C-alpha cells in the first residue's frame, strides 16, 4: 500500500491507499485484462481521489477518467 501526507490548514493528515489482492484478481477476470493492469488502475484511481478528483458528476468523471488514462498510457499499461 502507499501512504501520502498532506496539509489541511495547519494540521498534517496521512492518507493511504489499501488495495485488496482478492479484488485485483476478481476485477481483472471480470473486465478481461491482466492483474498488473487492474492493480495499476486501482492505484491510479485511488491516487486521483487523494488529489481531490471525483466521479460523481459526468463532467468530473470525464476529467478523472482522462487523467487515469493518461497515467496508465504513460506507464505503458493497456487493456
Amino acid at each position: 500500500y502507499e501512504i501520502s501526507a498532506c496539509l489541511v490548514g495547519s494540521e498534517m493528515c496521512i492518507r493511504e491507499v489499501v488495495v485488496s489482492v482478492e479484488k485485483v484478481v476478481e476485477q481483472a477476470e471480470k473486465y478481461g485484462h491482466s492483474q498488473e493492469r487492474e492493480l495499476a488502475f486501482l492505484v491510479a484511481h485511488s491516487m486521483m481521489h487523494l488529489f481531490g478528483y471525483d466521479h460523481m458528476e459526468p463532467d468530473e468523471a470525464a476529467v478523472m477518467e482522462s487523467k487515469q488514462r493518461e497515467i496508465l498510457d504513460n506507464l505503458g499499461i493497456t487493456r
Side-chain angles (χ1 to χ4, degrees), residues 12-48:
M12 183 170 216
C13 65
I14 301 293
R15 297 177 176 180
E16 57 186 30
V17 173
V18 178
V19 179
S20 162
V21 174
E22 293 82 9
K23 190 56 80 172
V24 168
V25 172
E26 173 190 319
Q27 289 184 182
E29 186 175 311
K30 178 179 178 179
Y31 297 115
H33 50 247
S34 71
Q35 293 175 17
E36 176 187 49
R37 193 270 178 201
E38 186 61 26
L39 175 60
F41 169 79
L42 290 173
V43 170
H45 184 88
S46 298
M47 294 302 293
M48 296 304 299

